[in-house]
Amino acid sequence: MDMKRKTALAVVAVTLVACLALSWRPARAQESKELLFGMSAAFTGANGELGMEFYRGMMAYLDHFNSSGGADGWTIRILPANDGYNPVPCFQNTIRFIEQDKVFALCSYVGTPTTTRVLPLLQKFEDRHIYMLFPFTGAQPLRSEPFGKYVYNLRASYFDETSGLVDNLLSIGRSRIGVFYQSDAYGRTGWDGVKRALDRYGLEIVGEAAYRRGASFDQDFTEEVEHITIKDVDAIIVIGTYASQGAFVRDARRSGFKGPIAGLSFCDSDKMLELLTEQSKRDGYDYTGDLIHTQVVPSYSDLNYPGVRRYREIMGNYKGVPMTQTEGCKPRRFSYVSFEGFLNGVLLAEMVKRMSDYPSKERIPEIMESLRNFDLGIGHHVDFGGERRQGLSAVYFTTVSDGIFNTFTNWERWRK
C-alpha cells in the first residue's frame, strides 16, 4: 500500500473514530425514550473499510428513522466500538456494552472470528435477556445450538452461499474445485460449506490453501496459488476479505489461471473490484474478468426493487458518516455492504415500532417471531416465525459488467 493511499484511509478512519467518540455517552434510554444498541466492528485495519461501509448504510436509515420521529417518540442510537476485526477487543467491547452501557441489545456485529468469540457471553448473561441482532456473518454457530437461540440473523448463511456456488459450478462441468480460505472461524465455516456441498455429489475439494487473517492487498500469494492450481483445478472458491481475495485473484491471473474465481458476500466485492481495477491500470492487464460473487441482497443498481429505490434515495443524500474510498477511486455512494447495513436498520426500526407501546428486552423474541412475511422490498420476504433464527435465505450471483458487480442467471459462459 503506497503512502497516498495510507494517508487517505487514515483520514477516513480518524474522521469515523471522531464520530464514534461523539456518540459514546452513558445510556439513559428510559429517560430520553432512546434505545441503545451496541455494535462492535472493524473500523480500522485490513478490513476497516468494510466495517465503515456497513455502519454507514445502517446509520443512513436510522438517522432517517429518528429524524422522522422514530416510533411513537422512541428513537434508536447505535454505540459503535472498534475491534479491528480481532476477537479479544470484540469480547471486551461486548462486556462493556452489557455491564457498563446497559445496551438494549447487541446489533450488527461484523465478522465471524469476532462474533463467534462473544457467543458464550450471550449464554452467560441469559438472565439479562441479551440478544444479538443481524450480525454481518453467515457462520453456522450463530444459527445452531447452543447459541443460536440468542441470535437473530437477517442474511443467508455461508452454507447457503457455498452450496449455491458448488451446485452451479458443477452444472457447467467444473467439478475440480479448489478452495483458498482465511485460517480462522470464517474461513473454516466457508471451507466446511464447500466440502458439505461437494459431499452431496460424492466429490472432494481438489486443492486448498489458507492464509492468516489480516493480510493486505500487498501480500504475495504466488505460493498459495501454485499449491492449489498444481492440482489442475478448474474453478476456485475463495473465503476471504476484500484485500486478501483481491491479492489472490491478482496472483492467480499472473500465474496463468484463467478459470472462474468465486467469492462470498462478506468479502465486500465492490471494494475488491476497486483494488483490482487500479491494479489493472498499473499493470495493463484486466484482473476483473471471470469473477463470480455471491451476495445476500439484490444488486443496488436494480431499480425494479422498491427496496433498492428507497436505499438509493436515502443513501444518495446521506452525509452523516464519511464515504470510504480507495486512492485513485471515487468515494462509494452505493455498495452491497452498505445496502445490507441499510436493511439491518430497516428491520431494527421495525422491531422497535412493534414494541413501541412498551420496549423491553424480554419482548425481543416475541416481537422478532411476529416478523412473518415482512416485505423489505427486495423480492424475498423476511420470516422469523416458528422459532426461525434466519430471516432470509436468498443468494444472488453476480459478476463484473459495466464496471460493477451485477446479478446474472446464465452460467453458460463458464461451461468447461
Side-chain angles (χ1 to χ4, degrees):
M1 183 184 296
D2 58 38
M3 288 304 297
K4 286 185 177 179
R5 183 161 168 255
K6 286 182 178 178
T7 301
L9 295 182
V11 169
V12 173
V14 168
T15 304
L16 181 58
V17 169
C19 292
L20 304 187
L22 289 173
S23 69
W24 200 279
R25 56 187 188 273
R28 299 187 332 191
Q30 295 301 320
E31 295 178 22
S32 63
K33 293 195 74 173
E34 179 182 71
L35 297 177
L36 278 72
F37 296 82
M39 174 187 182
S40 185
F43 295 117
T44 58
N47 220 30
E49 289 195 48
L50 181 146
M52 294 178 188
E53 195 69 3
F54 190 59
Y55 175 70
R56 193 172 73 90
M58 180 173 62
M59 292 308 301
Y61 183 79
L62 292 181
D63 282 359
H64 168 78
F65 171 77
N66 290 338
S67 65
S68 301
D72 295 329
W74 286 98
T75 58
I76 295 170
R77 180 159 63 89
I78 303 297
L79 296 178
N82 181 31
D83 57 38
Y85 196 43
N86 290 307
V88 172
C90 182
F91 191 90
Q92 294 168 337
N93 291 339
T94 304
I95 291 288
R96 185 169 67 249
F97 286 148
I98 297 171
E99 294 280 22
Q100 177 181 318
D101 300 297
K102 313 295 183 186
V103 297
F104 194 75
L106 308 176
C107 181
S108 296
Y109 274 44
V110 173
T112 300
T114 48
T115 305
T116 53
R117 179 65 67 89
V118 306
L119 290 177
L121 291 177
L122 304 181
Q123 188 176 60
K124 174 180 175 59
F125 292 106
E126 183 175 22
D127 61 332
R128 301 193 194 184
H129 305 282
I130 300 297
Y131 294 94
M132 178 174 288
L133 308 175
F134 327 136
F136 188 22
T137 169
Q140 211 58 29
L142 290 85
R143 293 162 168 78
S144 55
E145 293 299 328
F147 305 117
K149 63 182 178 179
Y150 308 109
V151 184
Y152 290 90
N153 304 276
L154 175 57
R155 66 182 350 256
S157 72
Y158 294 144
F159 282 6
D160 293 328
E161 295 185 59
T162 52
S163 177
L165 285 173
V166 169
D167 289 346
N168 281 287
L169 287 170
L170 294 183
S171 75
I172 54 172
R174 295 189 177 269
S175 59
R176 296 187 62 80
I177 296 175
V179 179
F180 180 63
Y181 64 99
Q182 187 165 280
S183 184
D184 63 7
Y186 164 48
R188 287 189 292 273
T189 297
W191 178 92
D192 189 34
V194 175
K195 182 179 183 303
R196 287 168 182 256
L198 287 170
D199 282 346
R200 289 191 280 107
Y201 297 91
L203 298 173
E204 298 180 347
I205 296 172
V206 175
E208 62 183 79
Y211 73 94
R212 287 187 178 182
R213 182 176 65 247
S216 71
F217 187 65
D218 297 325
Q219 183 103 8
D220 184 349
F221 286 127
T222 304
E223 184 176 339
E224 288 81 358
V225 167
E226 182 179 358
H227 191 72
I228 296 173
T229 57
I230 199 173
K231 303 296 179 62
D232 193 29
V233 298
D234 52 31
I236 300 173
I237 296 176
V238 181
I239 300 99
T241 57
Y242 58 78
S244 57
Q245 183 163 333
F248 180 84
V249 168
R250 176 200 63 214
D251 294 341
R253 297 311 187 205
R254 285 176 176 174
S255 76
F257 180 73
K258 298 186 182 300
I261 300 177
L264 306 189
S265 58
F266 185 79
C267 166
D268 188 353
S269 58
D270 295 299
K271 173 64 180 177
M272 183 191 71
L273 183 58
E274 287 184 3
L275 295 174
L276 289 174
T277 299
E278 287 305 297
Q279 191 68 53
S280 297
K281 293 176 182 177
R282 289 191 291 269
D283 293 356
Y285 179 89
D286 184 12
Y287 295 109
T288 68
D290 295 313
L291 300 180
I292 299 168
H293 252 278
T294 54
Q295 313 289 353
V296 295
V297 296
S299 171
Y300 52 82
S301 65
D302 190 344
L303 299 180
N304 291 314
Y305 294 108
V308 171
R309 297 196 297 271
R310 187 185 195 190
Y311 159 76
R312 290 177 69 95
E313 178 184 1
I314 293 174
M315 199 79 216
N317 296 314
Y318 184 58
K319 307 295 183 185
V321 177
M323 288 188 286
T324 57
Q325 71 181 103
T326 304
E327 177 68 19
C329 296
K330 295 180 180 179
R332 292 192 279 172
R333 294 181 67 203
F334 309 116
S335 69
Y336 286 100
V337 170
S338 69
F339 189 20
E340 184 175 345
F342 182 89
L343 294 178
N344 272 18
V346 173
L347 200 60
L348 186 63
E350 181 64 23
M351 185 194 77
V352 172
K353 287 179 186 176
R354 295 187 181 208
M355 63 165 61
S356 61
D357 58 329
Y358 179 65
S360 167
K361 298 177 183 179
E362 292 88 341
R363 295 185 65 194
I364 289 178
E366 165 204 342
I367 298 300
M368 291 305 302
E369 288 171 22
S370 76
L371 287 163
R372 304 185 182 208
N373 204 33
F374 179 69
D375 189 5
L376 284 171
I378 59 172
H380 296 270
H381 290 187
V382 176
D383 182 11
F384 282 106
E387 298 185 353
R388 282 172 51 90
R389 289 297 187 270
Q390 181 176 300
L392 294 170
S393 297
V395 176
Y396 307 81
F397 301 101
T398 65
T399 193
V400 179
S401 62
D402 300 322
I404 64 173
F405 275 94
N406 280 306
T407 52
F408 72 92
T409 56
N410 188 346
W411 289 70
E412 285 302 311
R413 74 191 82 176
W414 293 292
R415 179 169 290 281
K416 189 174 178 183

